[in-house]
Amino acid sequence: MFCHAGAIDPKKAAGKVLVCLRGLNGGVEKGQQASLAGAVGMILANDIIADNEILVEAHVLPASNINYTDGLTVFTYINSTKNPTAYITPVTTQIGTKPAPFMAAFSSKGPNTITPEILKPDITAPGVSVIAAYTEAEGPTNEDFDKRRVQFNSLSGTSMSCPHVSGIVGLLKTLYPNWSPAAIKSAIMTSATTLDNLNEPILNASNIKAGPFSYGAGHVQPNLAMDPGLVYDLTPTDYLNFLCTLGYNETLISLFSKNTYKCPNPINLANFNYPSITIPNLVGPITVTRTVKNVGSPGTYRAKVMRPMGISIYVKPQKLKFEKAGEEKTFSVTLKVKNAQAIKEYVFGELIWSDNVHYVRSPIVVKAV
Ligand SMILES: *[C@@H]1O[C@H](CO)[C@@H](O)[C@H](O)[C@H]1NC(C)=O
Ligand SMILES: *[C@@H]1O[C@H](CO)[C@@H](O)[C@H](O)[C@H]1NC(C)=O
Ligand SMILES: *[C@@H]1O[C@H](CO)[C@@H](O)[C@H](O)[C@H]1NC(C)=O
Ligand SMILES: *[C@@H]1O[C@H](CO)[C@@H](O)[C@H](O)[C@H]1NC(C)=O
């Protein structure tokens, strides 16, 4: 089933299309073993863990990767007949597949185990079967047996997703050389989308609605990040205070700061001016503050809240009027458990500041204890 080394009988495999199951060893390795055994092609069926996630790989023989449900159909067919038959047809390109994007099964997920008060991940970006320039120092599969050399390759992983965001950061820094890293991050996060190309909530690889612990603020939208309206900014001092909350002492903090820095006492991480709001242990009502800076034209922004289930949220003031660029306004958000029966699980909502042109969206993540 897994087509691993030593498991395939060449007498049975020669001239055949083999069906192999994902898992245990890599997909390319399965194809290599099939090929060594004389197979002419391979169908690589997903296991239930990979489910709907199809990753393009530079196979050494003609191969097709199918999802878990299609895999069951193939296995049922093989079981149903003495002489199952497979055909290899020419490759066609499909564009505009739906739904897209959806979360890859391998994508790392929250909650943040080190600092639960800060939502992680922040953002998601394309990371599955991404075609990009490739080194000719190794073969496209990075396997020793792969003597092929290619200028372009298709790869999947956070390593493909991250450079999309790095590139967007670079473009924004070019447009706005004076923006801080935090302002750029805010622009990228608050303009992200949680909808796919069917205008439905982004799903995970099992076709189940994903949430902030999968995609953070959502999927990047670079053109919107160029004009976020408002940003949640942070200064180096805010970051030093953050290190203080991690328990770093003066000696350690001096590694990050030119001047000696004395931690103020106490520091409330809930007020860290991040473009998301996370309360991992809501008991009594809690009020957090945030400050937004206008980086667009003058305008009036109104608050709109999607409440997490069982939680009431009050934003004060409800309206922020900006007369000029660079102006800052502070608001507070009060969160309260609505009834004692509130689910003691993470629940999700959002806060949107909008002037009807910009939609400055922040995820709200709460767990009542
Ligand atoms: C599996 O892939 C097929 C297309 O090959 C698609 O029609 C089907 O919806 C997919 N299964 C699921 C559960 O999405
Ligand atoms: C096909 O047959 C094998 C061997 O009897 C069995 O383990 C497997 O569950 C069957 N698969 C399906 C999809 O019916
Ligand atoms: C999709 O989300 C559901 C519910 O959170 C989870 O049980 C499932 O494992 C997720 N699937 C993948 C592939 O991450
Ligand atoms: C600061 O913390 C480091 C690492 O825990 C420790 O080695 C060092 O002795 C501490 N310094 C002071 C002044 O407490």
Side-chain angles (χ1 to χ4, degrees), residues 48-51 53 103-106 109 204-210 214:
I48 194 160
I49 299 164
D51 214 347
E53 177 186 278
M103 297 308 300
F106 61 72
K109 295 182 185 72
N204 75 9
S206 317
N207 277 349
I208 292 170
K209 191 172 176 273
S214 291

Side-chain angles (χ1 to χ4, degrees), residues 302-346:
R302 285 184 172 76
K304 191 177 156 200
V305 170
M306 318 290 196
R307 284 187 289 102
M309 211 192 339
I311 308 290
S312 75
I313 291 188
Y314 180 65
V315 181
K316 196 176 146 193
Q318 293 271 309
K319 210 165 78 177
L320 300 175
K321 188 157 182 260
F322 296 93
E323 320 247 305
K324 55 179 198 294
E327 196 178 345
E328 294 191 318
K329 297 267 165 173
T330 297
F331 62 91
S332 69
V333 180
T334 301
L335 303 99
K336 211 166 107 185
V337 178
K338 249 183 18 195
N339 51 51
Q341 281 86 46
I343 320 160
K344 299 198 170 8
E345 294 280 344
Y346 275 106

Side-chain angles (χ1 to χ4, degrees), residues 41-325:
M42 173 176 71
I43 296 172
L44 180 56
N46 275 0
D47 54 7
I48 194 160
I49 299 164
D51 214 347
N52 272 322
E53 177 186 278
I54 306 290
L55 305 179
V56 171
E57 292 174 299
H59 290 291
V60 297
L61 81 176
S64 185
N65 187 181
I66 59 175
N67 66 21
Y68 174 68
T69 356
D70 285 351
L72 285 184
T73 308
V74 170
F75 285 117
T76 306
Y77 166 66
I78 293 173
N79 283 1
S80 75
T81 169
K82 258 202 143 64
N83 288 304
T85 311
Y87 300 89
I88 299 174
T89 55
V91 172
T92 59
T93 300
Q94 280 183 34
I95 54 171
T97 56
K98 290 176 180 177
F102 66 85
M103 297 308 300
F106 61 72
S107 191
S108 37
K109 295 182 185 72
N112 182 343
T113 49
I114 298 168
T115 312
E117 296 86 355
I118 307 286
L119 173 66
K120 291 289 161 181
D122 290 312
I123 193 79
T124 184
V128 174
S129 302
V130 177
I131 298 172
Y134 198 67
T135 175
E136 292 181 62
E138 61 178 40
T141 59
N142 193 15
E143 298 278 0
D144 286 340
F145 60 73
D146 194 350
K147 303 297 176 214
R148 299 171 297 178
R149 292 296 179 266
V150 293
Q151 291 185 317
F152 294 90
N153 197 10
S154 169
L155 292 185
S156 300
T158 28
S159 302
M160 299 311 284
S161 187
C162 173
H164 282 86
V165 180
S166 308
I168 294 164
V169 170
L171 291 170
L172 290 175
K173 190 73 185 167
T174 306
L175 280 175
Y176 310 112
N178 298 328
W179 280 16
S180 69
I184 291 176
K185 184 174 185 171
S186 173
I188 291 173
M189 285 174 65
T190 61
S191 62
T193 182
T194 59
L195 299 179
D196 63 21
N197 59 359
L198 293 168
N199 231 13
E200 296 287 338
I202 292 177
L203 303 176
N204 75 9
S206 317
N207 277 349
I208 292 170
K209 191 172 176 273
F213 284 152
S214 291
Y215 50 57
H219 195 262
V220 277
Q221 302 200 100
N223 288 349
L224 292 182
M226 202 160 59
D227 180 23
L230 308 176
V231 293
Y232 293 81
D233 209 353
L234 288 165
T235 63
T237 304
D238 293 312
Y239 282 103
L240 294 178
N241 286 344
F242 174 75
L243 295 178
C244 295
T245 68
L246 296 182
Y248 283 33
N249 61 25
E250 258 177 64
T251 322
L252 286 176
I253 288 184
S254 71
L255 298 172
F256 298 88
S257 169
K258 265 183 259 159
N259 309 315
T260 41
Y261 187 72
K262 246 191 129 44
C263 288
N265 229 344
I267 300 164
N268 185 357
L269 203 45
N271 293 337
F272 190 61
N273 204 39
Y274 214 69
S276 55
I277 296 172
T278 305
I279 310 291
N281 50 2
L282 186 66
V283 191
I286 171 166
T287 299
V288 305
T289 60
R290 289 288 187 274
T291 300
V292 278
K293 184 196 280 181
N294 181 28
V295 292
S297 29
T300 301
Y301 284 79
R302 285 184 172 76
K304 191 177 156 200
V305 170
M306 318 290 196
R307 284 187 289 102
M309 211 192 339
I311 308 290
S312 75
I313 291 188
Y314 180 65
V315 181
K316 196 176 146 193
Q318 293 271 309
K319 210 165 78 177
L320 300 175
K321 188 157 182 260
F322 296 93
E323 320 247 305
K324 55 179 198 294

Side-chain angles (χ1 to χ4, degrees), residues 22-42:
R22 196 159 140 177
L24 196 68
N25 54 343
V28 172
E29 150 86 14
K30 294 174 197 289
Q32 167 75 352
Q33 294 304 327
S35 182
L36 288 174
V40 297
M42 173 176 71

